[in-house]
Amino acid sequence: MIAYLATLRLGAIVVPMNLAYRQREIEHMLSDAEPRLMVTEEAQLEVLSEVGEDGLSTVEELVLVEGLDRWLADGTPTSTSPSAHRPIAGSDLALLMYTSGTTGPSKGARLTHDNILATVTGLLAAWDWSDQDTLLLTLPLFHTHGLIVGLTTALAAGATVRLHRKFEPTAVWAELLSGEVDLFFGVPTLYRRLLDHAAGHRARYDLRHMRLLCSGSAPLSADVHETFRSVTGQTLLERYGMTETGMNLSNPYAGERRPGTVGTPLPGVSARIVDAEGCRVVEGEQGELEVRGGNVFDGYWRAPEKTRESFTSDESGQRWFCTGDLARCDPDNGYFTLLGRSTELIISGGYNIYPREVEEVLCAFPGITEAAVVGVPSEEWGEVGIAYVVCTSSFARDDLLAFCRRHIAAFKVPKEIRPIEALPRNALGKVQKHRLPQ
Ligand code: MLC
Ligand code: AMP
């Protein structure tokens, strides 16, 4: 957290990285972002030792958090005076956040200081933050939800943040019930786990003393929404955002929080729904959601083509970001409902799994010639990835899973492997995933 703030203060760019990533994923990010300084922890040294020269070639200094005191005492930083640095403009880059976006390998979303500020100021107003607030945060700090919606907004409010390194239902319930925490943010999987834990224990679960509990990053089922309200007396506030845009839409803090909806645009954000031709749909019809506002990123790092494809212009020349999310807006009250995605992206427990990346790893396993990864509904994770594989020789399932674990983060490893004779294809040879057996 200190390194994050210090880097922003210096006018340098932070590239957060998921600690679950394996060599292949780390190498891709490092060779694309070309960082000069890396801050990590001892536990990561093993996987970093597998990263090839190319990946680490730009890293001039690797700092371990465990040895940070020693590093600072050695006087390694040569210029510590903030005045020695050039002033930071709002349009300067602050963060490169890697995301698979709507398609393709993961790309760095270029977020400026102004982008972060837009999300933060929108949330400060919309959710009525104050310096008296205490936020309990157990989400990872390498994604928008934990880093910007949670940590950065809380710090901007002058609020207090209690950080837990990992989500443990017992510890979280104890904090929530302690009366010392006002806000909690989670992905739907966390709320489901809190409810499962409540069902398995006899105790007090009244959370009416809390100010706000928010859900986001993946769809919150109406069932979890309703059960959470009946068990705790708290109505979850669901909101919608993206790495590329920060926060876009939110149910109201003071008004009605409608289950199954993500509310209305946050201050400074505009949202519209368009059809396949990019024309605005008739009110109430479904289509792709597009957004614009100071929160929307600057484009993808070193991917001008992908950036161009991700934006459209309307008749008055305004630039809109195409989210890849399908939505409908209720003509009576203006609340948006998300209806799925126009892309193959799988969102599992709030983490993104891009099927193509997993398919490539599966096909690199001896004897597997073709693979198709699809998302299927899961109570625990919302959605999980399962794999259909075509193989020329028999293989041990455990060997394949171990192979996957070596090459991609464990959460991306398919929860099920289903051998199949051939993948269904159309006349052009394109795999038709919707025709795979259920
Ligand atoms: C962990 N596992 C998952 C998983 N997380 N499998 C599928 N999907 C996931 N999300 C698997 C691991 O691979 C491992 O498998 C086993 O579960 C236990 O791992 P763990 O690390 O101990 O899991 P746990 O700590 O319980 O993690 C679950 C979780 C975590 C829900 C706490 O997934 C999480 O923090 N999710 C939140 C992600 C997030 O912050 N997203 C926000 C993105 S920003 P095995 O087989 O090895 O045992 C964004 C924008 C916005 O989307 O709008 O906010
Ligand atoms: P990411 O690329 O990790 O930032 O994930 C962004 C995606 O998460 C969005 O494009 C949505 O598909 C999804 N998402 C975020 N919030 C919600 C929500 N409240 N309900 C449904 N999906 C959501």
Side-chain angles (χ1 to χ4, degrees), residues 140 145 166 193 217 239 241 348-351 381 405 410-411 415:
H145 199 161
K166 197 171 160 56
R193 287 192 182 176
S217 311
R239 78 348 170 242
S348 176
Y351 281 145
W381 302 109
R405 274 170 198 285
F411 68 85
K415 302 281 189 217

Side-chain angles (χ1 to χ4, degrees), residues 116-134:
I116 298 172
L117 209 55
T119 284
V120 166
T121 48
L123 294 180
L124 287 176
W127 296 349
D128 207 19
W129 276 92
S130 89
D131 59 4
Q132 297 303 302
D133 283 324
T134 296

